[in-house]
Amino acid sequence: MLNIGQIKKLIGALFIMALLIFTSFPVRAAEDDLYDFLWLDPDKSVYVLQNKEFPKSKTQYVDIGYLSSLTPNFHDSRGANINIGHFFNEELGAEIIYNVYNNKNNASYDNVKRINGTVPFARKIDQSYGAAAIWSPFYGKINTFNKIYYFDFYFGLGVLKMNASSNATTATNVNADVFSDENYTAGLVKAGLKFHVNKRFHFVLEFQNIYYRAYGPIQANGKSLESNSDVILKMGISI
């Protein structure tokens, strides 16, 4: 379950993405559409997003970002994200992904130990790495203070190897708070907005969700589907 602070972070990130989409010019999915502007006054100058200002076909990119996890209840999780990708054409690409996390027990974790006299069950993701297919069918522009900014909207689907640790074997025992290493294969789903500064540099706001199956503190209950959500702010270069 997400706590109040994590829900606020998620709502804030989704609000930013929605605001950027709905305050932009219409998003285009193809370059060969034709428009008829005969209804405009003859002296009006109209600039139309007809051809892509920043084509992606046959390009490579490297992104480095700061990530913040929304899911953990009993620890704060921050980290770094690195992506290396290639676009085969204007819509389809592939990328290699690496995430590393820095975890620290938060006040909720300490309060449970102090007030209830027990250790809460917690799982920490240490790092994950893998690959994803990227689909970027939409692009658009935003006109702000008489300056046009271009962006791409993309989705990703992939597979990750995940290194984690949990106190499943010692949870509820306040005298033995021990985290043991765990390894999982996880599915990845993500979506993001890429803002182009120029043909080489860009910024990215991304939301990624990781799904995996794992045991809880009572293994007799079997494995359950778990997830971890991250918001990532990145900067990168394209070549």
Side-chain angles (χ1 to χ4, degrees):
M1 296 293 293
L2 299 178
N3 59 35
I4 298 299
Q6 293 165 342
I7 292 174
K8 288 181 178 179
K9 290 181 183 179
L10 178 58
I11 292 175
L14 294 177
F15 175 78
I16 292 173
M17 295 180 71
L19 183 64
L20 292 173
I21 293 173
F22 291 111
T23 59
S24 68
F25 280 78
V27 178
R28 296 286 314 287
E31 295 185 47
D32 55 359
D33 295 334
L34 299 178
Y35 290 87
D36 186 358
F37 290 101
L38 297 179
W39 53 270
L40 292 173
D41 293 337
D43 60 342
K44 298 294 183 182
S45 297
V46 179
Y47 298 91
V48 180
L49 185 63
Q50 190 69 18
N51 296 314
K52 284 191 174 181
E53 185 73 13
F54 303 102
K56 300 188 294 293
S57 181
K58 310 301 181 183
T59 63
Q60 295 78 41
Y61 60 90
V62 178
D63 295 340
I64 300 176
Y66 169 82
L67 67 83
S68 176
S69 290
L70 304 173
T71 306
N73 292 318
F74 295 111
H75 59 271
D76 297 324
S77 185
R78 308 287 187 268
N81 165 269
I82 300 175
N83 294 340
I84 301 174
H86 172 80
F87 273 99
F88 306 105
N89 53 44
E90 287 300 323
E91 295 186 3
L92 298 177
E95 67 180 23
I96 299 172
I97 303 167
Y98 179 72
N99 303 303
V100 61
Y101 299 81
N102 180 30
N103 302 289
K104 182 180 180 181
N105 294 340
N106 59 20
S108 297
Y109 190 92
D110 295 332
N111 288 337
V112 170
K113 291 178 63 176
R114 183 175 65 254
I115 297 173
N116 296 339
T118 186
V119 176
F121 169 66
R123 175 173 284 112
K124 303 176 181 180
I125 299 177
D126 299 315
Q127 66 176 352
S128 60
Y129 52 92
I134 304 299
W135 181 45
S136 182
F138 307 119
Y139 68 96
K141 62 181 178 180
I142 300 172
N143 186 357
T144 304
F145 301 110
N146 294 322
K147 185 174 179 60
I148 295 176
Y149 299 91
Y150 295 85
F151 67 88
D152 294 301
F153 186 74
Y154 65 87
F155 304 93
L157 188 65
V159 178
L160 300 177
K161 295 294 291 184
M162 189 175 76
N163 299 329
S165 60
S166 81
N167 60 353
T169 58
T170 60
T172 73
N173 185 351
V174 72
N175 296 317
D177 189 9
V178 178
F179 281 77
S180 301
D181 293 337
E182 301 173 345
N183 297 287
Y184 301 97
T185 298
L188 169 70
V189 178
K190 66 178 185 173
L193 281 172
K194 178 182 291 186
F195 297 90
H196 299 278
V197 178
N198 52 44
K199 291 186 181 296
R200 183 170 294 271
F201 295 100
H202 56 262
F203 290 97
V204 182
L205 176 63
E206 182 178 281
F207 176 79
Q208 72 173 13
N209 217 45
I210 300 172
Y211 298 92
Y212 61 98
R213 294 185 61 84
Y215 288 108
I218 304 176
Q219 292 200 7
N221 292 338
K223 292 184 177 180
S224 59
L225 182 64
E226 306 291 340
S227 66
N228 186 78
S229 301
D230 301 319
V231 172
I232 310 173
L233 181 62
K234 302 187 281 189
M235 62 181 301
I237 59 173
S238 298
I239 56 177

